[in-house]
CSV table of all heavy atoms in Angstrom, one decimal:
chain,number,residue,atom,x,y,z
A,32,SER,N,4.3,-59.7,-4.2
A,32,SER,CA,5.2,-59.7,-5.3
A,32,SER,C,6.7,-59.8,-4.8
A,32,SER,O,7.0,-59.1,-3.8
A,32,SER,CB,5.1,-58.4,-6.2
A,32,SER,OG,6.1,-58.4,-7.2
A,33,ASN,N,7.5,-60.5,-5.5
A,33,ASN,CA,8.9,-60.5,-5.2
A,33,ASN,C,9.7,-59.6,-6.3
A,33,ASN,O,10.9,-59.5,-6.3
A,33,ASN,CB,9.5,-61.9,-5.3
A,33,ASN,CG,9.1,-62.7,-4.1
A,33,ASN,OD1,9.0,-62.2,-3.0
A,33,ASN,ND2,8.9,-64.0,-4.3
A,34,GLN,N,8.9,-58.9,-7.1
A,34,GLN,CA,9.5,-58.0,-8.1
A,34,GLN,C,9.2,-56.6,-7.6
A,34,GLN,O,8.4,-55.8,-8.2
A,34,GLN,CB,8.9,-58.3,-9.5
A,34,GLN,CG,9.3,-59.6,-10.1
A,34,GLN,CD,8.9,-59.7,-11.6
A,34,GLN,OE1,8.8,-58.7,-12.3
A,34,GLN,NE2,8.7,-60.9,-12.0
A,35,VAL,N,10.0,-56.2,-6.6
A,35,VAL,CA,10.0,-54.8,-6.1
A,35,VAL,C,11.4,-54.3,-6.5
A,35,VAL,O,12.4,-54.9,-6.1
A,35,VAL,CB,9.8,-54.7,-4.6
A,35,VAL,CG1,9.9,-53.3,-4.2
A,35,VAL,CG2,8.4,-55.3,-4.3
A,36,SER,N,11.4,-53.2,-7.1
A,36,SER,CA,12.7,-52.5,-7.5
A,36,SER,C,12.7,-51.1,-7.0
A,36,SER,O,11.7,-50.5,-6.6
A,36,SER,CB,12.9,-52.6,-9.0
A,36,SER,OG,11.8,-52.1,-9.7
A,37,TRP,N,13.9,-50.5,-6.9
A,37,TRP,CA,14.1,-49.2,-6.5
A,37,TRP,C,15.0,-48.4,-7.5
A,37,TRP,O,16.0,-49.0,-8.0
A,37,TRP,CB,14.9,-49.2,-5.1
A,37,TRP,CG,14.0,-49.6,-4.0
A,37,TRP,CD1,13.9,-50.9,-3.5
A,37,TRP,CD2,13.2,-48.8,-3.1
A,37,TRP,NE1,13.0,-50.9,-2.4
A,37,TRP,CE2,12.6,-49.6,-2.1
A,37,TRP,CE3,13.0,-47.4,-3.1
A,37,TRP,CZ2,11.8,-49.1,-1.2
A,37,TRP,CZ3,12.1,-46.9,-2.1
A,37,TRP,CH2,11.5,-47.8,-1.1
A,38,TYR,N,14.6,-47.2,-7.8
A,38,TYR,CA,15.3,-46.3,-8.7
A,38,TYR,C,15.7,-45.0,-8.1
A,38,TYR,O,15.0,-44.4,-7.4
A,38,TYR,CB,14.3,-46.1,-9.9
A,38,TYR,CG,14.0,-47.3,-10.7
A,38,TYR,CD1,13.0,-48.1,-10.2
A,38,TYR,CD2,14.8,-47.8,-11.8
A,38,TYR,CE1,12.7,-49.3,-10.9
A,38,TYR,CE2,14.5,-49.0,-12.4
A,38,TYR,CZ,13.5,-49.7,-11.9
A,38,TYR,OH,13.2,-50.9,-12.6
A,39,GLN,N,17.0,-44.7,-8.5
A,39,GLN,CA,17.5,-43.4,-8.1
A,39,GLN,C,17.4,-42.5,-9.4
A,39,GLN,O,17.7,-42.9,-10.5
A,39,GLN,CB,19.0,-43.6,-7.8
A,39,GLN,CG,19.8,-42.3,-7.5
A,39,GLN,CD,21.3,-42.5,-7.4
A,39,GLN,OE1,21.9,-42.8,-8.4
A,39,GLN,NE2,21.8,-42.4,-6.2
A,40,HIS,N,16.9,-41.3,-9.1
A,40,HIS,CA,16.6,-40.4,-10.3
A,40,HIS,C,17.2,-39.0,-10.0
A,40,HIS,O,16.7,-38.3,-9.1
A,40,HIS,CB,15.1,-40.3,-10.5
A,40,HIS,CG,14.8,-39.6,-11.8
A,40,HIS,ND1,13.5,-39.1,-12.1
A,40,HIS,CD2,15.5,-39.4,-12.9
A,40,HIS,CE1,13.5,-38.6,-13.3
A,40,HIS,NE2,14.7,-38.7,-13.8
A,41,HIS,N,18.2,-38.7,-10.7
A,41,HIS,CA,18.7,-37.3,-10.7
A,41,HIS,C,18.1,-36.5,-11.8
A,41,HIS,O,17.9,-37.0,-12.9
A,41,HIS,CB,20.3,-37.3,-10.9
A,41,HIS,CG,21.1,-37.8,-9.8
A,41,HIS,ND1,21.7,-39.1,-9.8
A,41,HIS,CD2,21.3,-37.3,-8.5
A,41,HIS,CE1,22.3,-39.3,-8.7
A,41,HIS,NE2,22.1,-38.2,-7.9
A,42,PRO,N,17.6,-35.3,-11.5
A,42,PRO,CA,16.8,-34.5,-12.5
A,42,PRO,C,17.6,-34.4,-13.8
A,42,PRO,O,18.8,-34.2,-13.8
A,42,PRO,CB,16.7,-33.2,-11.8
A,42,PRO,CG,16.7,-33.5,-10.4
A,42,PRO,CD,17.6,-34.6,-10.2
A,43,GLY,N,16.9,-34.6,-14.9
A,43,GLY,CA,17.6,-34.5,-16.2
A,43,GLY,C,18.3,-35.7,-16.7
A,43,GLY,O,18.8,-35.8,-17.8
A,44,LYS,N,18.4,-36.8,-15.8
A,44,LYS,CA,19.0,-38.0,-16.2
A,44,LYS,C,18.0,-39.1,-16.2
A,44,LYS,O,16.9,-39.0,-15.6
A,44,LYS,CB,20.2,-38.3,-15.2
A,44,LYS,CG,21.4,-37.4,-15.2
A,44,LYS,CD,22.5,-38.0,-14.4
A,44,LYS,CE,23.8,-37.3,-14.6
A,44,LYS,NZ,24.9,-38.0,-13.8
A,45,ALA,N,18.4,-40.3,-16.8
A,45,ALA,CA,17.5,-41.4,-16.8
A,45,ALA,C,17.6,-42.1,-15.4
A,45,ALA,O,18.6,-42.1,-14.7
A,45,ALA,CB,18.0,-42.4,-17.8
A,46,PRO,N,16.4,-42.5,-14.9
A,46,PRO,CA,16.4,-43.3,-13.6
A,46,PRO,C,17.4,-44.4,-13.7
A,46,PRO,O,17.6,-45.0,-14.7
A,46,PRO,CB,15.0,-43.7,-13.4
A,46,PRO,CG,14.2,-42.8,-14.2
A,46,PRO,CD,15.1,-42.4,-15.4
A,47,ARG,N,18.0,-44.8,-12.5
A,47,ARG,CA,18.9,-45.9,-12.4
A,47,ARG,C,18.4,-46.9,-11.4
A,47,ARG,O,18.1,-46.5,-10.3
A,47,ARG,CB,20.3,-45.4,-12.0
A,47,ARG,CG,21.4,-46.5,-11.9
A,47,ARG,CD,22.6,-45.9,-11.3
A,47,ARG,NE,23.6,-47.0,-11.1
A,47,ARG,CZ,24.7,-46.9,-10.4
A,47,ARG,NH1,25.0,-45.7,-9.7
A,47,ARG,NH2,25.6,-47.9,-10.3
A,48,ALA,N,18.4,-48.1,-11.8
A,48,ALA,CA,18.0,-49.2,-10.8
A,48,ALA,C,19.0,-49.4,-9.8
A,48,ALA,O,20.2,-49.6,-10.1
A,48,ALA,CB,17.6,-50.5,-11.5
A,49,MET,N,18.7,-49.4,-8.5
A,49,MET,CA,19.6,-49.7,-7.4
A,49,MET,C,19.4,-51.0,-6.8
A,49,MET,O,20.3,-51.6,-6.2
A,49,MET,CB,19.5,-48.6,-6.4
A,49,MET,CG,19.6,-47.1,-6.9
A,49,MET,SD,21.0,-46.9,-7.9
A,49,MET,CE,22.3,-46.7,-6.7
A,50,ILE,N,18.1,-51.4,-6.8
A,50,ILE,CA,17.7,-52.7,-6.2
A,50,ILE,C,16.6,-53.3,-7.1
A,50,ILE,O,15.8,-52.6,-7.6
A,50,ILE,CB,17.1,-52.5,-4.8
A,50,ILE,CG1,18.2,-52.0,-3.8
A,50,ILE,CG2,16.5,-53.8,-4.3
A,50,ILE,CD1,19.3,-53.1,-3.4
A,51,TYR,N,16.7,-54.7,-7.3
A,51,TYR,CA,15.6,-55.4,-8.0
A,51,TYR,C,15.3,-56.7,-7.2
A,51,TYR,O,16.1,-57.1,-6.4
A,51,TYR,CB,15.9,-55.6,-9.4
A,51,TYR,CG,16.9,-56.6,-9.7
A,51,TYR,CD1,16.6,-57.9,-10.1
A,51,TYR,CD2,18.3,-56.3,-9.6
A,51,TYR,CE1,17.6,-58.9,-10.4
A,51,TYR,CE2,19.3,-57.2,-9.9
A,51,TYR,CZ,18.9,-58.5,-10.3
A,51,TYR,OH,19.9,-59.5,-10.5
A,52,ASP,N,14.1,-57.2,-7.5
A,52,ASP,CA,13.7,-58.4,-6.8
A,52,ASP,C,13.9,-58.3,-5.3
A,52,ASP,O,14.4,-59.2,-4.7
A,52,ASP,CB,14.5,-59.7,-7.4
A,52,ASP,CG,14.0,-60.1,-8.8
A,52,ASP,OD1,13.1,-59.5,-9.3
A,52,ASP,OD2,14.7,-61.0,-9.3
A,53,VAL,N,13.5,-57.2,-4.8
A,53,VAL,CA,13.4,-56.9,-3.4
A,53,VAL,C,14.8,-56.6,-2.8
A,53,VAL,O,15.0,-55.6,-2.1
A,53,VAL,CB,12.7,-57.9,-2.5
A,53,VAL,CG1,12.7,-57.6,-1.0
A,53,VAL,CG2,11.3,-58.1,-3.0
A,54,THR,N,15.8,-57.5,-3.0
A,54,THR,CA,17.0,-57.5,-2.3
A,54,THR,C,18.3,-57.5,-3.2
A,54,THR,O,19.4,-57.3,-2.7
A,54,THR,CB,17.2,-58.7,-1.4
A,54,THR,OG1,17.1,-59.9,-2.1
A,54,THR,CG2,16.1,-58.7,-0.3
A,55,LYS,N,18.1,-57.7,-4.5
A,55,LYS,CA,19.3,-57.9,-5.4
A,55,LYS,C,19.8,-56.5,-5.9
A,55,LYS,O,19.0,-55.6,-6.2
A,55,LYS,CB,18.9,-58.8,-6.6
A,55,LYS,CG,18.5,-60.2,-6.2
A,55,LYS,CD,18.0,-61.0,-7.4
A,55,LYS,CE,17.5,-62.3,-7.0
A,55,LYS,NZ,17.0,-63.1,-8.1
A,56,ARG,N,21.1,-56.4,-6.1
A,56,ARG,CA,21.7,-55.2,-6.7
A,56,ARG,C,22.2,-55.5,-8.1
A,56,ARG,O,22.9,-56.5,-8.3
A,56,ARG,CB,22.9,-54.8,-5.8
A,56,ARG,CG,22.7,-54.0,-4.6
A,56,ARG,CD,24.0,-53.5,-4.0
A,56,ARG,NE,24.9,-54.6,-3.7
A,56,ARG,CZ,24.9,-55.3,-2.6
A,56,ARG,NH1,24.0,-55.1,-1.7
A,56,ARG,NH2,25.8,-56.3,-2.5
A,57,PRO,N,21.8,-54.6,-9.0
A,57,PRO,CA,22.4,-54.7,-10.4
A,57,PRO,C,23.9,-54.6,-10.3
A,57,PRO,O,24.4,-53.9,-9.4
A,57,PRO,CB,21.7,-53.6,-11.1
A,57,PRO,CG,20.5,-53.2,-10.3
A,57,PRO,CD,20.9,-53.5,-8.9
A,58,SER,N,24.5,-55.1,-11.3
A,58,SER,CA,26.0,-55.0,-11.4
A,58,SER,C,26.4,-53.5,-11.4
A,58,SER,O,25.8,-52.7,-12.1
A,58,SER,CB,26.4,-55.6,-12.7
A,58,SER,OG,27.8,-55.4,-12.9
A,59,GLY,N,27.4,-53.2,-10.6
A,59,GLY,CA,27.9,-51.8,-10.6
A,59,GLY,C,27.3,-50.9,-9.5
A,59,GLY,O,27.8,-49.8,-9.2
A,60,VAL,N,26.2,-51.4,-8.8
A,60,VAL,CA,25.6,-50.6,-7.7
A,60,VAL,C,26.4,-51.0,-6.4
A,60,VAL,O,26.6,-52.1,-6.1
A,60,VAL,CB,24.1,-51.0,-7.6
A,60,VAL,CG1,23.5,-50.3,-6.3
A,60,VAL,CG2,23.4,-50.5,-8.8
A,61,SER,N,26.7,-49.9,-5.7
A,61,SER,CA,27.4,-50.0,-4.5
A,61,SER,C,26.7,-50.9,-3.4
A,61,SER,O,25.4,-50.9,-3.4
A,61,SER,CB,27.7,-48.7,-3.9
A,61,SER,OG,28.2,-48.7,-2.6
A,62,ASN,N,27.4,-51.7,-2.7
A,62,ASN,CA,26.8,-52.5,-1.6
A,62,ASN,C,26.4,-51.6,-0.4
A,62,ASN,O,25.9,-52.1,0.6
A,62,ASN,CB,27.7,-53.6,-1.1
A,62,ASN,CG,29.0,-53.1,-0.6
A,62,ASN,OD1,29.2,-51.9,-0.4
A,62,ASN,ND2,30.0,-54.0,-0.3
A,63,ARG,N,26.5,-50.3,-0.6
A,63,ARG,CA,25.9,-49.4,0.4
A,63,ARG,C,24.4,-49.4,0.3
A,63,ARG,O,23.7,-48.9,1.2
A,63,ARG,CB,26.4,-48.0,0.3
A,63,ARG,CG,27.9,-47.8,0.5
A,63,ARG,CD,28.4,-46.4,0.5
A,63,ARG,NE,28.1,-45.7,-0.8
A,63,ARG,CZ,27.1,-44.8,-1.0
A,63,ARG,NH1,26.3,-44.5,0.0
A,63,ARG,NH2,27.0,-44.2,-2.2
A,64,PHE,N,23.9,-49.8,-0.8
A,64,PHE,CA,22.4,-49.9,-1.1
A,64,PHE,C,21.9,-51.3,-0.8
A,64,PHE,O,22.5,-52.3,-1.3
A,64,PHE,CB,22.1,-49.5,-2.5
A,64,PHE,CG,22.4,-48.0,-2.8
A,64,PHE,CD1,23.7,-47.6,-3.1
A,64,PHE,CD2,21.4,-47.1,-2.8
A,64,PHE,CE1,23.9,-46.3,-3.4
A,64,PHE,CE2,21.6,-45.8,-3.1
A,64,PHE,CZ,22.9,-45.3,-3.3
A,65,SER,N,20.9,-51.4,0.0
A,65,SER,CA,20.3,-52.7,0.3
A,65,SER,C,18.8,-52.6,0.3
A,65,SER,O,18.2,-51.5,0.6
A,65,SER,CB,20.8,-53.3,1.6
A,65,SER,OG,20.5,-52.4,2.7
A,66,GLY,N,18.1,-53.7,0.1
A,66,GLY,CA,16.6,-53.7,0.1
A,66,GLY,C,16.1,-54.8,0.9
A,66,GLY,O,16.8,-55.8,1.1
A,67,SER,N,14.9,-54.6,1.4
A,67,SER,CA,14.2,-55.6,2.2
A,67,SER,C,12.7,-55.5,2.1
A,67,SER,O,12.2,-54.5,1.5
A,67,SER,CB,14.6,-55.5,3.7
A,67,SER,OG,14.2,-54.3,4.2
A,68,LYS,N,12.0,-56.4,2.6
A,68,LYS,CA,10.5,-56.4,2.6
A,68,LYS,C,10.0,-57.1,3.7
A,68,LYS,O,10.5,-58.2,4.1
A,68,LYS,CB,10.0,-57.0,1.3
A,68,LYS,CG,8.5,-56.7,1.0
A,68,LYS,CD,8.0,-57.4,-0.2
A,68,LYS,CE,7.7,-58.9,0.0
A,68,LYS,NZ,6.9,-59.5,-1.1
A,69,SER,N,8.9,-56.5,4.3
A,69,SER,CA,8.2,-57.2,5.4
A,69,SER,C,6.7,-56.9,5.1
A,69,SER,O,6.3,-55.7,5.2
A,69,SER,CB,8.6,-56.6,6.8
A,69,SER,OG,7.8,-57.2,7.8
A,70,GLY,N,6.0,-57.9,4.9
A,70,GLY,CA,4.5,-57.8,4.6
A,70,GLY,C,4.3,-56.9,3.4
A,70,GLY,O,4.8,-57.2,2.3
A,71,ASN,N,3.5,-55.9,3.6
A,71,ASN,CA,3.2,-55.0,2.4
A,71,ASN,C,4.2,-53.8,2.3
A,71,ASN,O,3.9,-52.9,1.5
A,71,ASN,CB,1.8,-54.5,2.6
A,71,ASN,CG,0.7,-55.6,2.5
A,71,ASN,OD1,1.0,-56.6,1.9
A,71,ASN,ND2,-0.4,-55.3,3.1
A,72,THR,N,5.2,-53.8,3.1
A,72,THR,CA,6.2,-52.7,3.0
A,72,THR,C,7.6,-53.1,2.6
A,72,THR,O,8.2,-54.0,3.2
A,72,THR,CB,6.3,-52.0,4.4
A,72,THR,OG1,5.0,-51.5,4.7
A,72,THR,CG2,7.3,-50.8,4.4
A,73,ALA,N,8.1,-52.5,1.6
A,73,ALA,CA,9.5,-52.7,1.1
A,73,ALA,C,10.3,-51.5,1.6
A,73,ALA,O,9.8,-50.4,1.9
A,73,ALA,CB,9.5,-52.8,-0.4
A,74,SER,N,11.6,-51.7,1.8
A,74,SER,CA,12.4,-50.7,2.3
A,74,SER,C,13.8,-50.6,1.5
A,74,SER,O,14.3,-51.7,1.1
A,74,SER,CB,12.7,-50.9,3.8
A,74,SER,OG,11.6,-50.8,4.5
A,75,LEU,N,14.3,-49.4,1.3
A,75,LEU,CA,15.6,-49.2,0.7
A,75,LEU,C,16.4,-48.6,1.8
A,75,LEU,O,16.0,-47.5,2.4
A,75,LEU,CB,15.5,-48.3,-0.5
A,75,LEU,CG,16.8,-47.8,-1.1
A,75,LEU,CD1,17.5,-49.0,-1.8
A,75,LEU,CD2,16.6,-46.7,-2.0
A,76,THR,N,17.6,-49.2,2.1
A,76,THR,CA,18.5,-48.6,3.1
A,76,THR,C,19.8,-48.2,2.4
A,76,THR,O,20.3,-48.9,1.5
A,76,THR,CB,18.8,-49.6,4.2
A,76,THR,OG1,17.6,-49.9,4.9
A,76,THR,CG2,19.9,-49.0,5.2
A,77,ILE,N,20.2,-47.0,2.6
A,77,ILE,CA,21.5,-46.5,2.1
A,77,ILE,C,22.4,-46.2,3.3
A,77,ILE,O,22.1,-45.4,4.2
A,77,ILE,CB,21.3,-45.2,1.3
A,77,ILE,CG1,20.2,-45.3,0.2
A,77,ILE,CG2,22.6,-44.8,0.6
A,77,ILE,CD1,19.9,-44.0,-0.5
A,78,SER,N,23.5,-46.9,3.3
A,78,SER,CA,24.5,-46.7,4.4
A,78,SER,C,25.6,-45.8,3.9
A,78,SER,O,25.9,-45.7,2.7
A,78,SER,CB,24.9,-48.0,4.9
A,78,SER,OG,25.6,-48.8,3.9
A,79,GLY,N,26.3,-45.2,4.9
A,79,GLY,CA,27.5,-44.4,4.5
A,79,GLY,C,27.1,-43.3,3.5
A,79,GLY,O,27.8,-43.2,2.4
A,80,LEU,N,26.1,-42.6,3.8
A,80,LEU,CA,25.6,-41.6,2.9
A,80,LEU,C,26.7,-40.7,2.3
A,80,LEU,O,27.6,-40.3,3.0
A,80,LEU,CB,24.6,-40.6,3.6
A,80,LEU,CG,23.1,-41.0,3.5
A,80,LEU,CD1,22.3,-39.9,4.3
A,80,LEU,CD2,22.6,-41.1,2.1
A,81,GLN,N,26.6,-40.5,0.9
A,81,GLN,CA,27.5,-39.6,0.2
A,81,GLN,C,26.7,-38.5,-0.5
A,81,GLN,O,25.5,-38.6,-0.7
A,81,GLN,CB,28.3,-40.4,-0.8
A,81,GLN,CG,29.1,-41.6,-0.2
A,81,GLN,CD,29.8,-42.4,-1.2
A,81,GLN,OE1,29.7,-42.2,-2.4
A,81,GLN,NE2,30.6,-43.4,-0.8
A,82,ALA,N,27.4,-37.4,-0.8
A,82,ALA,CA,26.8,-36.3,-1.4
A,82,ALA,C,26.0,-36.6,-2.7
A,82,ALA,O,24.9,-36.1,-2.9
A,82,ALA,CB,27.8,-35.2,-1.6
A,83,ASP,N,26.6,-37.5,-3.5
A,83,ASP,CA,25.9,-37.8,-4.7
A,83,ASP,C,24.8,-38.8,-4.6
A,83,ASP,O,24.2,-39.2,-5.6
A,83,ASP,CB,26.9,-38.2,-5.8
A,83,ASP,CG,27.7,-39.5,-5.5
A,83,ASP,OD1,27.4,-40.0,-4.4
A,83,ASP,OD2,28.5,-39.9,-6.3
A,84,ASP,N,24.5,-39.2,-3.4
A,84,ASP,CA,23.3,-40.0,-3.2
A,84,ASP,C,22.1,-39.1,-3.2
A,84,ASP,O,20.9,-39.6,-3.3
A,84,ASP,CB,23.3,-40.7,-1.8
A,84,ASP,CG,24.4,-41.8,-1.8
A,84,ASP,OD1,24.8,-42.3,-2.8
A,84,ASP,OD2,24.9,-42.1,-0.6
A,85,GLU,N,22.3,-37.8,-3.1
A,85,GLU,CA,21.1,-36.9,-3.1
A,85,GLU,C,20.4,-37.0,-4.4
A,85,GLU,O,21.0,-36.7,-5.5
A,85,GLU,CB,21.6,-35.5,-2.8
A,85,GLU,CG,20.5,-34.5,-2.6
A,85,GLU,CD,20.9,-33.2,-2.0
A,85,GLU,OE1,21.3,-33.2,-0.8
A,85,GLU,OE2,20.9,-32.1,-2.7
A,86,ALA,N,19.1,-37.4,-4.4
A,86,ALA,CA,18.3,-37.6,-5.6
A,86,ALA,C,16.9,-38.0,-5.1
A,86,ALA,O,16.6,-38.0,-3.9
A,86,ALA,CB,18.9,-38.8,-6.4
A,87,ASP,N,16.1,-38.2,-6.1
A,87,ASP,CA,14.8,-38.7,-5.9
A,87,ASP,C,14.8,-40.2,-6.0
A,87,ASP,O,15.5,-40.8,-6.9
A,87,ASP,CB,13.7,-38.2,-6.9
A,87,ASP,CG,13.5,-36.7,-6.7
A,87,ASP,OD1,13.6,-36.2,-5.6
A,87,ASP,OD2,13.4,-36.0,-7.8
A,88,TYR,N,14.1,-40.9,-5.1
A,88,TYR,CA,14.1,-42.4,-5.1
A,88,TYR,C,12.6,-42.9,-5.2
A,88,TYR,O,11.7,-42.4,-4.6
A,88,TYR,CB,14.7,-43.0,-3.8
A,88,TYR,CG,16.2,-42.7,-3.8
A,88,TYR,CD1,16.7,-41.5,-3.4
A,88,TYR,CD2,17.1,-43.7,-4.2
A,88,TYR,CE1,18.1,-41.3,-3.3
A,88,TYR,CE2,18.4,-43.5,-4.2
A,88,TYR,CZ,18.9,-42.3,-3.8
A,88,TYR,OH,20.3,-42.1,-3.8
Side-chain angles (χ1 to χ4, degrees):
Chain A
S32 175
N33 288 324
Q34 289 190 29
V35 178
S36 52
W37 289 89
Y38 295 84
Q39 178 190 67
H40 191 199
H41 289 107
K44 290 189 167 184
R47 179 190 180 195
M49 310 306 283
I50 294 289
Y51 72 101
D52 287 354
V53 179
T54 61
K55 299 176 183 177
R56 276 188 306 275
S58 175
V60 172
S61 170
N62 60 8
R63 297 186 300 106
F64 292 81
S65 62
S67 63
K68 189 182 84 168
S69 177
N71 296 337
T72 298
S74 298
L75 172 71
T76 297
I77 309 173
S78 59
L80 269 180
Q81 299 178 357
D83 63 357
D84 294 334
E85 186 162 295
D87 296 323
Y88 289 83

